[in-house]
Amino acid sequence: MNVAEQNIRSEKPLRRAISVSDLENFSPHLLPFTGAWYDLMGMPELKGTWLIWGDSGSGKTRFSLQLAKYLANWRRVAYNSVEEGLSESLRIAFQECGMSEMRRRIVLLDQEPINELIERIKAPKAPKVWFIDSLQYTGMNYLEYKAFRELFNSGRQLILVSHANGRLPEGRTANRIRFDAFVKIRIEGYRAFAMSRYGGTSHYDIWPEGAARYWGEKWVIREQ
């Protein structure tokens, strides 16, 4: 037996091909977003990775918490604060975003490392939506990210928060994840701009008054 034959025999069996009927009968875990959230990213599927990035002070933590609170209407959410951990600034952010309204639907993790997080994700009755803030503090490279991402098949959602370098996520790993993400959200001046595989036609204002001031616009109250 030559090397090529050995390689062929050692390979795992191929997955079954998907038929047109399989695709037509597929029922994804869609999130019924409405209002400003629908305008931002459409009606997204609960699967894979979303990436949020922005400069310090741009509103990305407030946006991430607002999104976590909104998602908690449908699925339990875990928010792993790898960067800040349990801190006064995070307490204030939670308070200002009204997170106590969803206290039974959101759990805060204090700087939990990825290896421990994996075990938590696999646990019975674990939350379905997982925020990691921030990506840079996990120390993951792209290959480690790809292995970790395998946990987030249909029905689970990974949302990574990243530092920014100009208008792009900071670092090689974050930039490669940007291409992999189903939803990409850039934060600037208290305003979120999304590129989503599920649609979306407008930005989302994290702090409407502050966004209007930053962008030189008249402040108009807008349904969130």
Side-chain angles (χ1 to χ4, degrees):
M1 184 184 300
N2 61 34
V3 174
E5 290 174 332
Q6 288 177 342
N7 288 339
I8 290 171
R9 292 194 178 187
S10 65
E11 288 177 357
K12 293 180 180 179
L14 293 174
R15 295 182 182 181
R16 186 178 69 85
I18 298 171
S19 69
V20 173
S21 295
D22 290 335
L23 187 59
E24 289 174 343
N25 294 325
F26 175 60
S27 298
H29 295 262
L30 297 180
L31 296 164
F33 282 12
T34 60
W37 290 105
Y38 177 84
D39 293 341
L40 177 68
M41 65 178 83
M43 197 175 292
E45 182 180 5
L46 197 69
K47 179 180 181 179
T49 303
W50 300 355
L51 181 65
I52 301 165
W53 71 92
D55 286 326
S56 178
S58 63
K60 71 176 182 293
T61 297
R62 294 300 194 280
F63 173 81
S64 299
L65 293 179
Q66 288 175 14
L67 178 58
K69 182 181 177 182
Y70 190 63
L71 288 168
N73 285 293
W74 298 284
R75 299 290 191 277
R76 288 182 61 236
V77 175
Y79 196 99
N80 188 14
S81 181
V82 187
E83 183 170 343
E84 287 191 63
L86 185 62
S87 62
E88 175 64 5
S89 62
L90 191 62
R91 186 194 68 80
I92 292 170
F94 263 64
Q95 185 177 52
E96 291 179 349
C97 292
M99 303 300 279
S100 61
E101 297 170 17
M102 291 291 186
R103 66 173 71 246
R104 296 184 182 275
R105 305 283 294 172
I106 298 174
V107 58
L108 175 64
L109 305 178
D110 183 13
Q111 297 179 318
E112 191 155 297
I114 294 297
N115 61 327
E116 294 180 18
L117 196 65
I118 289 171
E119 295 307 311
R120 192 184 290 271
I121 291 168
K122 292 178 178 178
K125 299 182 180 180
K128 296 298 184 183
V129 179
W130 297 81
F131 282 76
I132 297 179
D133 185 3
S134 62
L135 170 63
Q136 284 74 17
Y137 274 69
T138 67
M140 280 194 295
N141 59 34
Y142 187 68
L143 289 178
E144 290 167 336
Y145 156 75
K146 284 183 67 178
F148 182 60
R149 181 196 60 186
E150 292 301 311
L151 294 170
F152 297 89
N153 49 17
S154 185
R156 279 192 189 136
Q157 187 64 58
L158 173 62
I159 302 175
L160 298 172
V161 184
S162 171
H163 299 169
N165 183 8
R167 291 193 162 212
L168 296 174
E170 181 183 276
R172 183 178 179 183
T173 298
N175 257 309
R176 293 185 70 182
I177 292 172
R178 177 170 62 93
F179 290 102
D180 182 64
F182 284 33
V183 178
K184 319 166 207 300
I185 303 170
R186 181 177 67 86
I187 309 297
E188 181 183 350
Y190 309 109
R191 183 167 284 176
F193 303 89
M195 290 181 63
S196 169
R197 298 182 185 184
Y198 311 101
T201 59
S202 182
H203 59 257
Y204 172 95
D205 283 345
I206 303 154
W207 176 31
E209 184 178 1
R213 189 182 302 130
Y214 179 93
W215 295 97
E217 301 168 353
K218 182 179 179 181
W219 180 29
V220 178
I221 297 177
R222 189 165 172 261
E223 182 185 354
Q224 298 291 315

